[in-house]
């Protein structure tokens, strides 16, 4: 088999999605968990593509590196990274099942996830696949904590708080505030992602005494949430859950770093359940205040 490598483009988004879906379904089967509910159903895969197409196209448009491996004219693997505020994040790395130990992954990572001067840090929200983990460890990127998906049927509820929530749009003023909050919590800015989030979800800025205290996004998918004070998570997550109930959604879920004790305690007390399938946050050095953070769902990027 002759494998060639080329830069990926926006037109490759569907091929990338198909590789992602096939690889994740295979991983779930090997781990004995359901990574994608009914992922072997063609109708489900088509619906998921419709839902995830905006995300895949956003990642293609704003990628730093996007590489595809091909054999016999067919895509057999891809890797993609974004660069935000000097932080390089590997958003995707998938190789078609059956070809995952043939050196394709090594070549893709060398092209898409280099250790060079363009990035001051490297991070990954990774699956627990042992073969991929071994590659990441060899690159000097180590697990810091797990990320679990908590969910339940939403209910309209309130939590005592002195926070005020206001809907936000992608104005220069709003982006400047979001940038400051990200730098305080994550350690880097990411305007490109906020523009996409504000176009696809409802964003809220939370204020205390008129001053920004954090932000959060709700919609069919939720997150990210970044708060200057972790103690505010019960009120903010209650607000997001109540919004989901008000909109008549049957499901409300969030991707929670397990170092965020305030969020975990609130969700467990509310009767949320967490999935058996989980991700790992990996980085070259410890960074960020993830006890003050809830990730973007699905967690392709922070």
């Amino acid at each position: 088999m002759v494998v060639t490598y080329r830069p990926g483009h926006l037109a490759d988004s569907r091929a990338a999605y198909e590789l992602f879906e096939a690889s994740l379904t295979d991983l779930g089967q090997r781990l004995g968990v359901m990574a994608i509910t009914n992922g072997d159903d063609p109708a489900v895969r088509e619906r998921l593509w419709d839902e995830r197409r905006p995300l895949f196209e956003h990642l293609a448009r704003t990628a730093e590196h996007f590489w595809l491996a091909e054999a016999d004219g067919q895509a057999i693997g891809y890797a993609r990274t974004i660069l935000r505020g000097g932080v390089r994040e590997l958003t995707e790395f998938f190789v078609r099942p059956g070809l995952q130990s043939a050196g394709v992954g090594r070549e893709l990572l060398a092209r898409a996830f280099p250790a060079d001067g363009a990035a001051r840090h490297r991070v990954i929200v990774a699956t627990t696949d042992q073969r991929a983990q071994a590659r990441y460890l060899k690159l000097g990127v180590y697990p810091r904590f797990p990320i679990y998906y908590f969910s339940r049927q939403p209910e309209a509820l309130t939590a005592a708080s002195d926070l005020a929530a206001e809907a936000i749009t992608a104005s220069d003023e709003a982006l400047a505030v979001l940038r400051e909050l990200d730098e305080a919590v994550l350690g880097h800015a990411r305007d490109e992602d906020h523009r996409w989030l504000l176009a696809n979800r409802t964003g809220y800025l939370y204020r205390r005494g008129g001053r920004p205290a954090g932000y959060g996004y709700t919609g069919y998918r939720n997150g990210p949430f970044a708060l200057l004070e972790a103690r505010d998570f019960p009120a903010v997550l209650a607000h997001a859950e109540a919004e989901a109930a008000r909109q008549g959604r049957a499901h409300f879920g969030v991707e929670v770093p397990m170092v965020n004790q305030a969020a975990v305690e609130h969700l467990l007390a509310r009767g949320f359940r967490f999935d058996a399938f989980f991700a790992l946050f990996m980085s070259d050095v410890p960074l960020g205040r993830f006890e003050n953070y809830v990730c973007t769902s699905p967690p392709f990027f922070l």
Side-chain angles (χ1 to χ4, degrees), residues 26 55 63-64 70 77 90 103 106-107 114 125 128 139 155 159 207 221 225 228 230 281 294-295:
D26 174 71
L55 172 60
E64 180 197 22
E70 296 179 322
L90 182 67
R106 180 180 62 249
E107 293 295 329
V125 177
T128 57
L139 294 174
E155 295 179 349
R207 294 184 183 272
R221 295 281 189 170
F225 296 83
L228 296 180
F281 174 75
V294 165
C295 298

Side-chain angles (χ1 to χ4, degrees), residues 7 17 35 37 43 49 76 88 96 117 145 162 196 204 226 253 265 285:
Y17 166 76
T37 304
W49 164 241
I76 62 170
R88 176 174 292 138
R96 188 172 299 284
F145 50 80
D162 59 347
W196 181 81
Y204 290 95
E265 290 180 351
V285 298

Side-chain angles (χ1 to χ4, degrees), residues 63-80:
E64 180 197 22
H65 299 297
F66 179 14
W67 284 89
L68 265 75
E70 296 179 322
D72 299 324
Q74 299 293 319
I76 62 170
Y78 80 105
R80 179 156 52 197

